[in-house]
Amino acid sequence: RKDENEMSNELAVRGEITLSGDVWNAMKEQAGYLVKSGFMPPAIKTPEQAIAVILQGREVGMGPMASIRHINIIQGKPTMAAEGMLALCYKHISGFRAEPVEDTDTAFAIRLTRPGQQSYVSRFTIPEAERAGLLSKGGSWKTYPKAMLRARAISAGCRLLCPDAIMGISYTPEELGADVDEEGDLLQGELVQEP
């Protein structure tokens, strides 16, 4: 049976990158200090949760603190605000472009362009939100409908055109049922779902 250090030496992150035992041990120590600091998002209560978020961030090229600020685990899945998804696309796809083409009270559309591929326009509308039952739930859709339209159009477009850039961080927190503010960040007190 392998001990924890042997297992950590085999932990692969984003393709060829692996964590050595020293890096793994440093990460565990840092996570412990971060949780004890009291400055973590309210959803991260344990060093293990902090490590899970940091590892997810490493897979998409984010540092530890950026990961903790921007990645939320909802229903066991990593989520991120739509603007964070766009940032990952810009970071990982040279020549990527995102241009809003419609921004009204009832619809948002964005044209996403990857070099060498046809542009794609992703659009989300209030009638689609009504059909999906999103408006009757209240919460973020009632308070920030324009921001929610924007987030849905962006996340759907990124999932379709740039899955390699977002590497499994495919949904916004709101898409998995969390209440968020206008920027797509979890509202105070929203918690990571326990496994």
Side-chain angles (χ1 to χ4, degrees):
R1 191 180 145 173
K2 296 179 183 177
D3 69 22
E4 189 174 285
N5 284 334
E6 288 176 303
M7 290 172 53
S8 68
N9 287 332
E10 297 175 4
L11 183 59
V13 180
R14 187 138 176 119
E16 307 293 323
I17 301 170
T18 59
L19 296 176
S20 69
D22 289 342
V23 172
W24 177 251
N25 289 331
M27 187 182 296
K28 290 191 316 184
E29 186 176 352
Q30 290 169 351
Y33 283 117
L34 288 169
V35 170
K36 286 178 187 173
S37 76
F39 293 117
M40 300 294 283
I44 299 177
K45 297 176 185 166
T46 68
E48 293 81 8
Q49 289 175 327
I51 288 172
V53 170
I54 291 168
L55 286 173
Q56 180 66 55
R58 264 181 84 107
E59 289 186 3
V60 294
M62 295 171 65
M65 295 308 292
S67 301
I68 286 167
R69 279 192 310 274
H70 298 291
I71 297 173
N72 300 289
I73 309 298
I74 309 292
Q75 296 183 21
K77 295 180 181 178
T79 67
M80 178 181 287
E83 287 74 13
M85 290 180 188
L86 282 179
L88 290 175
C89 294
Y90 278 110
K91 179 178 182 170
H92 294 296
I93 302 170
S94 180
F96 174 81
R97 286 192 336 245
E99 305 165 71
V101 293
E102 181 179 9
D103 187 2
T104 69
D105 288 340
T106 60
F108 183 86
I110 189 163
R111 177 178 291 112
L112 304 176
T113 305
R114 278 184 90 130
Q117 294 186 14
Q118 187 173 10
S119 293
Y120 174 72
V121 175
S122 181
R123 184 172 188 262
F124 201 77
T125 67
I126 289 293
E128 288 175 290
E130 286 174 330
R131 282 193 301 277
L134 300 173
L135 301 180
S136 62
K137 293 180 182 177
S140 303
W141 275 94
K142 183 175 182 172
T143 310
Y144 309 110
K146 284 185 75 168
M148 296 300 98
L149 290 171
R150 183 177 66 242
R152 284 290 173 110
I154 290 169
S155 64
C158 289
R159 279 194 296 273
L160 181 67
L161 196 64
C162 311
D164 54 325
I166 60 175
M167 292 289 296
I169 304 178
S170 302
Y171 296 97
T172 64
E174 177 278 327
E175 285 179 286
L176 296 182
D179 281 332
V180 297
D181 63 18
E182 193 169 10
E183 282 77 40
D185 295 325
L186 291 180
L187 292 176
Q188 187 67 22
E190 187 73 36
L191 299 177
V192 171
Q193 180 178 342
E194 297 292 335

